[in-house]
Amino acid sequence: MTGDREIVDAVRRVASLSPRERDVLHGLLAGRPNKLIAYQLEISVRTVEVHRARMMDRLGVRQLAEAIRLGVMAKLSVAPADK
């Protein structure tokens, strides 16, 4: 079971992300590939890759699974598909 401290830490880390990094995290939580995230946000795939790398750095994680875990613990909701 996840402790309250871990959840508070996850919320704090996710709150440190820029709005665009949060958008990318939402896309990743929804299982979308970088190309689809780029299309939906109307930015280039390379820009998504940069946001994703900065997001991982700010979250203090090295693996995508760790970022997803933090996102889920922070109770992020999946962005609507029509975005």
Side-chain angles (χ1 to χ4, degrees):
M1 188 165 246
T2 304
D4 288 340
R5 288 185 186 184
E6 283 184 284
I7 293 170
V8 169
D9 183 53
V11 169
R12 181 188 53 77
R13 288 195 210 184
V14 171
S16 75
L17 299 177
S18 72
R20 213 38 140 177
E21 290 165 349
R22 249 183 255 121
D23 290 341
V24 170
L25 181 56
H26 280 289
L28 294 170
L29 285 170
R32 297 182 184 114
N34 289 350
K35 192 172 184 176
L36 184 55
I37 294 169
Y39 176 78
Q40 290 176 332
L41 297 178
E42 298 178 346
I43 57 178
S44 74
V45 174
R46 178 66 184 134
T47 303
V48 170
E49 291 169 354
V50 169
H51 287 311
R52 181 174 165 166
R54 287 185 183 157
M55 173 201 72
M56 302 276 282
D57 190 45
R58 285 188 183 182
L59 292 176
V61 299
R62 298 182 75 192
Q63 305 268 330
L64 179 59
E66 293 174 287
I68 298 297
R69 181 174 178 265
L70 286 174
V72 169
M73 284 188 351
K75 299 179 181 174
L76 289 174
S77 61
V78 176
D82 61 339
K83 236 185 172 182

